[in-house]
Amino acid sequence: MTPPALPPLLDLLGTAVFALTGALVAARLGQTFVTMAFFALVTGVGGGSVRDMLIGTPAFWLRDPWVAPVILLTALLAWFTPRRWWEGKLLEYADAAGLAAFAVLGTAKALAFGVAPLPAIVLGTVTGCAGGVIRDVIAGVPSILMRPELYVTAAALSALVTAAGALVGLGNAVTWIVAWLAGFVLRAAAIRLGLALPAYREMESGPAD
Amino acid sequence: MTPPALPPLLDLLGTAVFALTGALVAARLGQTFVTMAFFALVTGVGGGSVRDMLIGTPAFWLRDPWVAPVILLTALLAWFTPRRWWEGKLLEYADAAGLAAFAVLGTAKALAFGVAPLPAIVLGTVTGCAGGVIRDVIAGVPSILMRPELYVTAAALSALVTAAGALVGLGNAVTWIVAWLAGFVLRAAAIRLGLALPAYREMESGPAD
Amino acid sequence: MTPPALPPLLDLLGTAVFALTGALVAARLGQTFVTMAFFALVTGVGGGSVRDMLIGTPAFWLRDPWVAPVILLTALLAWFTPRRWWEGKLLEYADAAGLAAFAVLGTAKALAFGVAPLPAIVLGTVTGCAGGVIRDVIAGVPSILMRPELYVTAAALSALVTAAGALVGLGNAVTWIVAWLAGFVLRAAAIRLGLALPAYREMESGPAD
């Protein structure tokens, strides 16, 4: 079984965008360049590394000649430019693109390794979100998971469409484009319109009362 | 080497109980359903995933057709019922049952993969506790590890008895039942009687004074 | 491919030193012996475990008959002795020795498994630092990463020299000694002289103004 030949440029772009969000968290906390590069690394490769460790295959970035240099360049970019260049809506949309891309890639790689559809969707969703979770946990800031805004849901949608496309026998290219678009558009709508899921509330008069 | 054929129902029950504790942490923090499902997932499969990644075998829930649906159902259950249904002593005892079951399973799987007894005991203890640790770290709440109450100790006892039974050549069924009971009873006694280990205290007049 | 035959004593010493730093964090927080042993474990074997999971090989301590006992003995030592015996400069220098040793070992093991030089350097650096990061995250204390003092940089230097030595064809013994010394001396200088990297500062008058 070989992993799917994902468009390498899209993959690298996703890594770079996530790495940039990691570097910016370090910048916000007033850290050094080395710490910034460390955060860029764990955020950029975190999701894919968790995916590969769960599947039981060596982490993708150990074999790829481009990932490590891209992480380093991203950290340099974050270090030598003002933070406010990046922190607007542009970064949020770029992050949405990376989230959807990683969810598609995670699901596709899981399916290629023979994982059943439902666990593959779960793994794809985790692949999209894990880098950000690791970044927030190490930085000691509230996790992206804790925001009511649609985020994990967008990753789950991309993962779901990827698995559905594979089940009905659509070609990889079509499936991946549609799946990526579905997640990206949902997340972009959440950013633009503030779409959020309802939060759990204590039931004052539940069935047991 | 094949992993041991653990009673699948017990295994699933342990996963469901841990998943429920994860969902309830999310409920307590007033999170959305998707976040709740994410917490149910990482808590339910966290310990077993860490075990499998350390052993170097694909995570158990990628091959199992039941784990992912059980996690999802548990999250739905937590979402649609009042939190206080679950948060009494019942959940603590159920958690104790899951803790002991996972410690037994973790040790047995490690031994089946040729791990030496002492590391297998350590791995079994980690399997029992890791899901809860990951849950607490991501939620940003103080870890279960930090409570003086007997918790890790109960997992370690189950792991120890599992390895001891294998060493003296007891059958798997007998060993696992006895090992599970040992850990469960110890943890239940800790819940009921408030058994706790002594905490580290600064020695005012140590040998060096 | 077999992992490099690292001097086992040096390896064990590094594990013990890191385990001690984990046990001391637990002591500082007034925890029980079992919690202390758990922290000694995750700090002592954390870096090497992350390395092995990323490479896709079983964790080293599952096969090694000495690691688990050494962790346990270190926790006993921390429990039965006053904390201030360990918390001076001596522990910092010992930690520096362990950091450099693990960075060398991580890089060498990655190269032995066919990882390219740049990712191998990254992996070696992560191996040196990950145990401390996991310790701090679980304990809920600010991570070692967040200190401006040269720390990750020292690990990176040892990793870099290890890979450079392998590239130019130096023997393993010479390379590892020089690489270990480079990282240790840099970290020791940072401890003694307070060497620190500059922190990221908001540019008040960047190019965009």
Side-chain angles (χ1 to χ4, degrees):
Chain A
M1 273 172 304
T2 52
L6 197 89
L9 196 65
L10 188 71
D11 190 19
L12 271 179
L13 267 173
T15 301
V17 166
F18 274 125
L20 187 57
T21 70
L24 289 174
V25 164
R28 212 171 301 149
L29 298 170
Q31 297 296 324
T32 69
F33 174 71
V34 171
T35 300
M36 200 177 259
F38 198 95
F39 270 91
L41 176 76
V42 296
T43 313
V45 307
S49 297
V50 168
R51 174 199 63 206
D52 292 343
M53 293 191 296
L54 288 171
I55 289 179
T57 187
F60 69 104
W61 56 275
L62 297 180
R63 306 282 162 186
D64 188 301
W66 296 108
V67 173
V70 160
I71 298 274
L72 212 62
L73 285 175
T74 307
L76 284 168
L77 186 70
W79 181 256
F80 285 114
T81 54
R83 188 153 62 85
R84 74 193 133 66
W85 279 23
W86 307 107
E87 291 208 311
K89 290 282 179 196
L90 181 66
L91 184 68
E92 287 205 59
Y93 288 112
D95 180 86
L99 179 73
F102 277 12
V104 171
L105 172 59
T107 310
K109 188 163 184 178
L111 292 171
F113 272 84
V115 173
L118 187 54
I121 294 169
V122 171
L123 192 57
T125 310
V126 168
T127 304
C129 304
V133 170
I134 296 172
R135 172 198 64 208
D136 295 341
V137 161
I138 297 184
V141 302
S143 168
I144 179 83
L145 286 181
M146 300 300 193
R147 299 190 343 203
E149 227 180 88
L150 291 173
Y151 189 89
V152 182
T153 310
L157 180 63
S158 279
L160 184 72
V161 175
T162 306
L167 278 181
V168 302
L170 272 185
N172 276 348
V174 175
T175 299
W176 293 348
I177 290 168
V178 173
W180 179 82
L181 269 177
F184 176 71
V185 167
L186 181 59
R187 176 71 192 131
I191 296 169
R192 188 149 185 86
L193 311 172
L195 292 188
L197 290 176
Y200 179 87
R201 284 187 311 167
E202 296 300 328
M203 279 172 251
E204 297 298 333
S205 52
D209 277 344
Chain B
M1 271 171 307
T2 52
L6 197 89
L9 196 65
L10 188 72
D11 191 17
L12 272 180
L13 267 173
T15 301
V17 166
F18 274 125
L20 187 57
T21 69
L24 289 174
V25 165
R28 211 170 301 150
L29 298 171
Q31 297 296 324
T32 70
F33 174 71
V34 172
T35 301
M36 202 176 258
F38 198 96
F39 270 91
L41 177 76
V42 297
T43 314
V45 307
S49 298
V50 168
R51 173 201 63 205
D52 292 343
M53 292 191 297
L54 289 170
I55 289 179
T57 188
F60 69 104
W61 56 276
L62 296 180
R63 306 282 163 186
D64 187 302
W66 295 109
V67 173
V70 160
I71 299 275
L72 212 60
L73 285 175
T74 306
L76 284 169
L77 187 71
W79 181 256
F80 284 114
T81 53
R83 187 153 63 85
R84 74 193 133 66
W85 280 22
W86 307 107
E87 292 207 310
K89 289 283 178 196
L90 181 66
L91 185 68
E92 287 205 59
Y93 288 112
D95 180 86
L99 178 74
F102 277 13
V104 171
L105 173 58
T107 310
K109 189 163 184 178
L111 292 171
F113 272 84
V115 173
L118 187 54
I121 293 168
V122 171
L123 192 57
T125 309
V126 168
T127 304
C129 304
V133 170
I134 296 172
R135 172 196 64 207
D136 296 340
V137 161
I138 297 183
V141 302
S143 169
I144 179 83
L145 286 180
M146 301 300 194
R147 298 191 342 206
E149 228 179 271
L150 290 173
Y151 189 89
V152 182
T153 310
L157 180 62
S158 279
L160 184 72
V161 175
T162 306
L167 278 181
V168 303
L170 271 185
N172 277 349
V174 175
T175 299
W176 293 349
I177 290 169
V178 173
W180 178 82
L181 270 176
F184 176 71
V185 167
L186 180 59
R187 177 68 192 132
I191 295 170
R192 188 150 185 86
L193 311 172
L195 292 186
L197 291 176
Y200 180 86
R201 284 187 311 168
E202 297 300 328
M203 278 172 252
E204 298 297 335
S205 53
D209 277 342
Chain C
M1 270 171 308
T2 51
L6 197 90
L9 195 66
L10 188 70
D11 191 18
L12 271 179
L13 266 173
T15 301
V17 166
F18 273 125
L20 187 58
T21 69
L24 289 174
V25 165
R28 212 171 301 150
L29 298 170
Q31 297 296 324
T32 69
F33 174 70
V34 171
T35 301
M36 200 176 259
F38 198 96
F39 270 91
L41 177 76
V42 296
T43 314
V45 307
S49 297
V50 169
R51 173 200 64 206
D52 291 343
M53 293 191 296
L54 288 170
I55 290 179
T57 188
F60 69 103
W61 55 275
L62 297 180
R63 307 281 161 186
D64 188 301
W66 295 109
V67 173
V70 159
I71 299 274
L72 212 61
L73 285 175
T74 307
L76 284 168
L77 186 70
W79 180 257
F80 284 115
T81 53
R83 189 153 63 84
R84 74 194 131 67
W85 278 22
W86 308 105
E87 290 207 310
K89 289 284 178 195
L90 181 65
L91 184 68
E92 288 205 58
Y93 288 112
D95 180 86
L99 179 73
F102 277 13
V104 171
L105 171 59
T107 311
K109 189 163 184 178
L111 292 171
F113 272 84
V115 173
L118 186 55
I121 293 169
V122 171
L123 192 57
T125 309
V126 168
T127 304
C129 304
V133 170
I134 296 172
R135 173 196 64 207
D136 295 342
V137 161
I138 297 184
V141 302
S143 169
I144 180 83
L145 286 181
M146 301 299 193
R147 299 192 340 206
E149 226 179 271
L150 291 173
Y151 189 88
V152 183
T153 311
L157 180 62
S158 279
L160 184 73
V161 175
T162 306
L167 278 181
V168 303
L170 271 185
N172 277 348
V174 175
T175 299
W176 293 349
I177 290 168
V178 172
W180 179 82
L181 269 177
F184 176 72
V185 167
L186 179 59
R187 177 69 191 133
I191 295 169
R192 187 150 188 85
L193 310 173
L195 291 188
L197 290 177
Y200 180 85
R201 283 187 311 167
E202 296 300 328
M203 278 172 250
E204 296 299 333
S205 53
D209 278 342

